[in-house]
Amino acid sequence: KAKFGTGNDLQIYHTGSHSFVDDAGTGNLYIRSNSIVLGKYTGEYGLSCTADGSTDLYYDNALKLATTSSGVDISGVVTADGLTVQSNNNLDILDADNHVSGRLRNVSGGSNSLTIEADPANSASDTFMSFKLDASEAMRISGGNVGIGSSSPSARLHVNVTGDGGAKISASGQANLDLNITGTTDGCAIRFGDGG
């Protein structure tokens, strides 16, 4: 063993199976340099710290997480038990060209309000929001229209029923609960049909 300090607080040694650096004394263990790399003996990186710069984490010598002046950059898939975003900031979804294609944001001055935006820059002509179950699209919002079973809704509410099951609109569970279908302007038609 190599022993340092009046009480042998710092020791460096090898047991025949493993190597150790033990700091059993009071205070911190400081490893200081302008650049620190922890990695494999072959030269692969595991952790890299640069003074006045980033701290980087690697998996099998591939960079996965890097700190920046504004936060962190992550490469790959993030798996987490939870995610908290500061209420004053946006949660942006970037496309392959680093353009913001979607955004979750807390409305300024709103109370418990959340806005979901597709293409918040309004730079795309075909902006829409799609909701899928499994691989099938269940609903699409496009141009202010909502389509259920339709990928190109042509009315404020466009329900396209295919296959068995039909469509159902019901009001239940409360006394004196009305279900109204109304046309509020002159010449507005309400049509009921069967078999064409």
Side-chain angles (χ1 to χ4, degrees), residues 114-127:
L114 178 67
T115 295
I116 303 174
E117 298 175 280
D119 185 34
N122 296 316
S123 58
S125 59
D126 59 345
T127 298

Side-chain angles (χ1 to χ4, degrees), residues 140-148 150-159:
R140 178 178 293 210
I141 303 173
S142 176
N145 296 336
V146 177
I148 299 175
S150 173
S151 60
S152 55
S154 58
R156 284 291 177 255
L157 177 60
H158 183 166
V159 180

